[in-house]
Amino acid sequence: MRFTHETLGQRVVFAPGGAPAAVAAEVAGLGATRVMLIAAPARASLADRIGADLPVAVRHDEVVMHVPVEVAERARRAATAGRVDALVCVGGGSTTGLAKAVALTTGLPIVAVPTTYAGSEATNVWGLTEGEVKTTGVDARVLPRSVVYDASLTLGLPVETSVASGLNALAHCVDSMWGPRADPIDRALAGEGIRALARGLPAVAADPTGLEGRERTLYGAHLAAVAFASAGSGMHHKICHVLGGMFGLPHAQTHAVVLPHVLAHNAPSAPEAERRIARAFGSPTAGEGLAALRKTLDAPRALRDHGMPEEGITRAVAPILAAVPGGNPAPVTEENLTALLRAAWEGSEPA
Ligand code: NAD
């Protein structure tokens, strides 16, 4: 066994029901006295609760999915004008993404308070969108210094969004099995992530107001993101990034739809990963494990239901082919990728 694994330095606080005090402690630990509190208007009341114990100098609520560059620029100007010394973001991946965009150019430290299962808070990956093109990059400055997980903050997340978001986390786990830098530590984290998500998500669906399923799902989402940050984007993430940027598709739903198709494509060529995923699901095969979970959760099935135009299938093929890592387990060709995208677009069973 020969590999090099880099562990990202971050404080991770699980504080069920205790986010305000935990965030205040993290901000104090940074020595910050002028916080920019970032939260979308719909998360204003959560942000009020968390901000009550913080030295808030700026409240910023312009949050847009996939972080358009002009939105990032306005947030950066607000941070500079407010002479802030730390960023606290309360929200899903879009909100964390905006904080990261500010940190990227200002170097300001982030305390992230996630309210979905996207996992951006545990990665050093940033993303910005200009027109139809989404650009991502890796930079140590965007890794939040602290993350505070409080499952009670996700109670307002409707079951449908929770399911899509949790399957986005599951996609991090699956892609971490064969991402370009995947190593045995990533695979161990991803396996435990799958186990936690496969138990947590059905519990969320069955009892959306219960904390246990939410907490287990947050734990799985964290492991998923840590594994993914190390392993890097595999075929699945490359497909979703291209589609998301080109057609403005909802991030989590896109991942939820595409995942079974990529698993079916790669699994026969990645037997060890297949066995690990199957074991984590407690299922005879990886594909059956995912299919059973998706059935229980009534998971999103077709990209056409989420705004992708049919002519987009042909348009997306070339940019995806250019982006898929060379070491992907199964060969990716114009023909099999077109078939995969069509199946995901129309919602047919993975081939
Ligand atoms: P999001 O932040 O847009 O949230 C999805 C939806 O859930 C939104 O409508 C939001 O208003 C709602 N929501 C969030 N929290 C809620 C709550 N507690 N109660 C009710 N509704 C709530 O999307 P997301 O799926 O969390 O994240 C997607 C974005 O994150 C994408 O832009 C993606 O590229 C990025 N992302 C980045 C990384 C990374 O490592 N950089 C990892 C994962 C995702």
Side-chain angles (χ1 to χ4, degrees), residues 117-137:
Y117 310 118
S120 175
E121 69 281 356
T123 82
N124 54 2
V125 180
W126 55 265
L128 285 165
T129 307
E130 195 160 11
E132 276 192 349
V133 180
K134 180 163 183 180
T135 309
T136 60

Side-chain angles (χ1 to χ4, degrees), residues 42-43 46 65-66 91-95 100 115-116 118-120 123 125-126 134 153-154 156-158 161 165 168 172 228 241 251-252:
R43 303 286 89 66
L46 290 184
M65 195 176 59
H66 300 312
S94 301
T95 309
K100 285 177 159 185
T115 65
T116 70
S120 175
T123 82
V125 180
W126 55 265
K134 180 163 183 180
L153 304 179
T154 69
L157 201 60
T161 321
S165 187
N168 180 193
H172 289 147
F228 169 66
H241 283 179
H251 179 85

Side-chain angles (χ1 to χ4, degrees), residues 35-133:
V35 163
M36 173 153 152
L37 180 58
I38 305 176
R43 303 286 89 66
S45 63
L46 290 184
D48 288 345
R49 268 171 49 206
I50 288 162
D53 293 343
L54 298 178
V56 176
V58 177
R59 276 283 288 256
H60 194 82
D61 69 358
E62 192 196 13
V63 173
V64 181
M65 195 176 59
H66 300 312
V67 199
V69 283
E70 58 280 9
V71 172
E73 268 311 314
R74 281 194 285 275
R76 288 164 178 162
R77 282 199 294 272
T80 308
R83 293 178 291 109
V84 308
D85 55 7
L87 308 167
V88 172
C89 53
V90 181
S94 301
T95 309
T96 312
L98 181 63
K100 285 177 159 185
V102 176
L104 182 65
T105 54
T106 61
L108 287 165
I110 302 174
V111 176
V113 190
T115 65
T116 70
Y117 310 118
S120 175
E121 69 281 356
T123 82
N124 54 2
V125 180
W126 55 265
L128 285 165
T129 307
E130 195 160 11
E132 276 192 349
V133 180

Side-chain angles (χ1 to χ4, degrees), residues 1-7 181-186 230-231:
M1 204 186 281
R2 181 189 287 268
F3 67 92
T4 305
H5 177 89
E6 190 178 340
T7 298
R181 299 183 304 275
D183 65 41
I185 295 175
D186 304 334
S230 168

